[in-house]
Amino acid sequence: MSETQRFGVSIPKELLDKFDDMIADRGYRNRSEAIRDMIRDRIVEREWEEDEEVMGVVTLLYDHHQHHLSDKLTGLQHDFHQLVISTTHLHVDADNCLELIAVKGHGGEVRAMANKLISTKGVIHGKLLATSTGAGLS
Ligand code: NI
């Protein structure tokens, strides 16, 4: 971790009040930690925009009775095996499955793979959680 520096910020009172309310709702005890997290969040967004190496989780909710859907989703993951770190399959109930696919790669290729999985016919709900390797965040 690098050296810590303090800096002052001029900000309209009304905006600061809104910020304080927002971070209190989210459980922050002080502004510094909230601001650090917001900066890191923006850096992570930029890592994805700049096609840097990133990490993420793709979630897929689907009905496993859908014809060939499980095979198709598994096939797609094999097509992109270099991006897939691990897959966890949860049998949610008698019909539905939730798959959690941990991924790592360049932002563009990870997003393309996630889009392919999520747009597969029969997937009820899919999301890409975009996060970071953490290399540039300390
Ligand atoms: Ni299942």
Side-chain angles (χ1 to χ4, degrees):
M1 189 150 163
S2 60
E3 156 198 11
T4 301
Q5 289 205 339
R6 296 176 70 89
F7 68 101
V9 177
S10 300
I11 185 170
K13 186 183 178 314
E14 208 170 299
L15 191 57
L16 186 60
D17 289 344
K18 279 186 184 163
F19 180 71
D20 285 341
D21 285 349
M22 183 186 81
I23 67 174
D25 283 348
R26 293 189 187 179
Y28 288 102
R29 298 221 174 121
N30 64 66
R31 291 174 183 153
S32 291
E33 187 56 24
I35 290 168
R36 283 192 289 267
D37 279 0
M38 289 173 78
I39 291 171
R40 289 189 196 107
D41 200 40
R42 186 62 198 99
I43 291 171
V44 171
E45 272 181 31
R46 189 148 172 250
E47 288 176 353
W48 281 81
E49 287 162 12
E50 301 287 318
D51 202 30
E52 291 176 26
E53 187 171 65
V54 292
M55 295 186 77
V57 181
V58 182
T59 65
L60 301 172
L61 178 71
Y62 63 94
D63 182 340
H64 77 272
H65 294 113
Q66 281 268 339
H67 195 54
H68 293 319
L69 182 53
S70 298
D71 288 348
K72 198 163 184 193
L73 294 174
T74 301
L76 278 170
Q77 291 179 62
H78 279 277
D79 291 346
F80 293 97
H81 64 89
Q82 69 280 9
L83 303 177
V84 176
I85 295 171
S86 75
T87 302
T88 300
H89 183 103
L90 310 173
H91 307 303
V92 178
D93 56 30
D95 303 315
N96 293 312
C97 302
L98 179 62
E99 213 145 283
L100 314 174
I101 307 160
V103 290
K104 182 180 185 181
H106 289 276
E109 59 188 4
V110 171
R111 195 177 294 284
M113 177 196 140
N115 286 341
K116 230 170 190 173
L117 287 163
I118 291 166
S119 65
T120 300
K121 191 179 170 211
V123 171
I124 299 164
H125 185 245
K127 275 283 182 188
L128 168 62
L129 185 149
T131 185
S132 172
T133 64
L137 295 181
S138 53

